[in-house]
């Protein structure tokens, strides 16, 4: 299987691939632009599906101070331009995954603002960008006001209070913080950016639960029903089979709760399955097993941050201050403990709002 996402040179791509046909049609100068990028040894993110066909392409660059070929002019110290964004997702959430990569790029480059130019006919992409905080800013300079191309921007300088529009930033000011454990066989497919260095990346594929910003987890831990929208989760990957939890269990990620539902809120299994399956790692019969066991809790969350440094159970106890006797399946965290986890995990400070 091809790598999940590849960062490759323009020169390694075939411009005659049918994937690029629509781009060449919509942008008359695309071929010349592409050849220029290849000559300059520039890179883009691409995805090949399981048949080996090119199915996703993302190119970005950093600009500074101002962007003057749009109206109104965009100002910022660091401005990220999404130069080309195209996906053939075939029903998966690959668009969300590429957009997450764009946000990672923005954070890495300390962007104040990100912008993209889209055609109005690209209504699916416009809805996608709008959902995650992009707003219509204006148009390309020199075009008619009612032209087909629009410019959309997302500011990283302020929060809206909407967990989707603010993504990937995490508002910690009033939210409760919690630790939630997930078994290894589910963890690394759900959270691909948090995969451990000794794991096989071939488990990552073009699936909804892998590509998506959104995740759905099902468990039977009753106390998780206390979670509320906007609460923050520290994802804790449990130990590998046959290994000690002391160094095999690790905190890996930060998520934000979208919603929590108890099993009793679903009239029957089919309604339960219909709601849960869209973003869930679990197979249908596995979900049935959980449902038959009873007291299921469905946790929907956004996958915001992969810790740059994973934190072992040993360090969570000895350095962070968690109790060795605590239940690590699920527990509430104090603000002080959470801040220590963020620091130890070497999280980019711009992502966390205190």
């Amino acid at each position: 299987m091809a790598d999940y996402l590849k960062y490759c040179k323009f020169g390694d791509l075939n411009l005659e691939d049918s994937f690029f046909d629509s781009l060449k049609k919509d942008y008359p100068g695309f071929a010349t632009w592409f050849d220029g990028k290849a000559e300059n040894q520039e890179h883009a993110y691409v995805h090949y599906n399981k048949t080996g066909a090119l199915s996703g392409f993302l190119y970005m660059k950093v600009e500074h101070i101002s962007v003057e070929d749009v109206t109104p002019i965009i100002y910022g110290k660091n401005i990220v331009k999404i130069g080309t964004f195209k996906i053939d997702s075939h029903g998966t959430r690959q668009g969300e995954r590429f957009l997450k990569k764009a946000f990672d790029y923005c954070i890495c480059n300390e962007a104040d603002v990100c912008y993209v130019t889209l055609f109005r006919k690209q209504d699916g992409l416009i809805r996608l960008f709008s959902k995650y905080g992009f707003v219509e800013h204006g148009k390309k300079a020199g075009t008619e006001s009612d032209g087909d191309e629009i410019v959309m921007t997302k500011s990283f300088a302020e929060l809206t209070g909407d967990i989707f529009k603010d993504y990937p930033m995490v508002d910690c000011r009033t939210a409760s913080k919690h630790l939630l454990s997930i078994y290894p066989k589910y963890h690394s497919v759900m959270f691909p950016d948090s995969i451990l260095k000794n794991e096989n990346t071939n488990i990552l594929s073009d699936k909804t639960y892998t590509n998506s910003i959104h995740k759905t987890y099902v468990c039977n831990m009753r106390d998780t029903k206390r979670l509320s929208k906007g609460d923050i989760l520290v994802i804790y990957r449990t130990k590998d089979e046959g290994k000690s939890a002391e160094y095999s269990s690790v905190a890996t990620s930060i998520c934000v709760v979208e919603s929590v539902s108890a099993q009793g809120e679903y009239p029957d299994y089919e309604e339960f399955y219909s709601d849960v399956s869209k973003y869930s790692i679990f197979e249908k019969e596995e979900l049935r097993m959980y449902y038959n066991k009873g007291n299921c809790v469905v946790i929907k969350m956004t996958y915001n941050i992969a810790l740059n440094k994973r934190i072992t159970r040993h360090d969570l106890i000895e350095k962070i201050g968690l109790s060795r006797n605590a239940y690590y399946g699920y527990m509430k965290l104090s603000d002080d403990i959470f801040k220590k986890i963020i620091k130890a995990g070497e999280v980019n400070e711009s992502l966390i709002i205190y």
Side-chain angles (χ1 to χ4, degrees), residues 182-191 194 235 237 252-253:
I182 294 182
Y183 291 127
K185 67 176 181 178
Y186 303 133
H187 171 274
S188 297
V189 184
M190 288 179 68
F191 304 102
S194 301
I235 301 299
R237 180 189 182 277
T252 69
S253 319

Side-chain angles (χ1 to χ4, degrees), residues 255-297:
C255 296
V256 177
V257 175
E258 295 180 39
S259 66
V260 178
S261 303
Q263 182 171 328
E265 297 177 43
Y266 300 94
D268 53 38
Y269 171 73
E270 293 303 323
E271 289 289 333
F272 171 80
Y273 176 75
S274 177
D275 181 57
V276 171
S277 60
K278 185 177 181 182
Y279 288 103
S280 171
I281 181 69
F282 302 106
E283 300 292 341
K284 188 169 185 177
E285 290 309 310
E286 201 167 17
L287 286 173
R288 186 180 293 278
M289 177 197 72
Y290 273 101
Y291 187 86
N292 290 342
K293 188 183 294 185
N295 296 311
C296 280
V297 179

Side-chain angles (χ1 to χ4, degrees), residues 19-27 30 57-58 82-88 115-131 134 136 140 147-152:
F19 175 85
F20 293 112
D21 287 351
S22 64
L23 291 170
K24 288 187 285 188
K25 179 181 177 181
D26 289 338
Y27 301 96
F30 183 80
F57 182 92
L58 172 65
I82 298 178
T84 309
F85 187 106
K86 183 181 186 296
I87 54 169
D88 291 336
Y115 79 100
V116 62
T117 300
L118 297 170
F119 287 103
R120 290 195 183 277
K121 68 180 181 180
Q122 296 174 292
D123 53 339
L125 282 182
I126 290 173
R127 287 195 299 271
L128 174 67
F129 279 90
S130 296
K131 180 177 181 179
F134 284 80
E136 186 169 342
K140 295 287 289 183
D148 289 336
E149 284 189 271
I150 63 170
V151 176
M152 301 186 75

